[in-house]
Amino acid sequence: QVHVVESGGGLVQPGGSLGLSCTASGSIFRINAMGWYRQAPEKERELVAQIITYGSTTYADSVKGRFTISRGDAQNTVYLQMTSLKPEDTAVYYCNVVGVTTNYRSFDSWGQGTQVTVSS
């Protein structure tokens, strides 16, 4: 019922920067939180950054000071600006959107993922 799409992944050298975008669509009454997760091969999916309705943000310790999450002018859009990238940042990055549908039901939707590769 709620569709989520990410974009912006690619190949970047260590120390470089990359920006990711995510847009949610569908029968959305309210978005309570939007976040970015990542999953590397043989590892569990982990939280990278999250932003809630009123703008409060949370970051993984490993990315704090290097990544910035923000909401777009359109409230159904979220961005992740990544700087000072390291090889260990290599993973598939997923966008997560949590909220309430127009049918007054909770939703927890995920995008298809976008590959970020940091390598020289």
Side-chain angles (χ1 to χ4, degrees):
Q1 193 167 9
V2 177
H3 190 58
V4 178
V5 178
E6 311 101 326
S7 64
L11 176 65
V12 64
Q13 293 185 337
S17 300
L18 201 63
L20 305 181
S21 299
C22 171
T23 300
S25 62
S27 302
I28 301 171
F29 173 71
R30 179 171 183 170
I31 293 175
N32 293 328
M34 304 184 80
W36 291 94
Y37 292 71
R38 67 187 181 188
Q39 187 168 21
E42 306 298 322
K43 292 188 175 182
E44 298 291 320
R45 187 173 299 187
E46 64 176 350
L47 174 69
V48 177
Q50 185 180 55
I51 185 166
I52 64 173
T53 302
Y54 298 107
S56 181
T57 58
T58 300
Y59 295 92
D61 289 341
S62 60
V63 308
K64 193 172 298 183
R66 300 188 297 119
F67 292 9
T68 302
I69 189 170
S70 62
R71 297 284 291 272
D73 292 338
Q75 292 186 350
N76 64 335
T77 302
V78 66
Y79 303 100
L80 184 68
Q81 182 62 45
M82 305 182 291
T83 62
S84 301
L85 283 162
K86 305 174 180 179
E88 51 263 44
D89 294 319
T90 296
V92 177
Y93 283 70
Y94 297 90
C95 182
N96 173 240
V97 184
V98 177
V100 181
T101 71
T102 54
N103 294 328
Y104 311 110
R105 296 183 178 183
S106 297
F107 71 86
D108 185 344
S109 298
W110 294 84
Q112 79 288 349
T114 185
Q115 177 71 49
V116 173
T117 302
V118 184
S119 177
S120 60

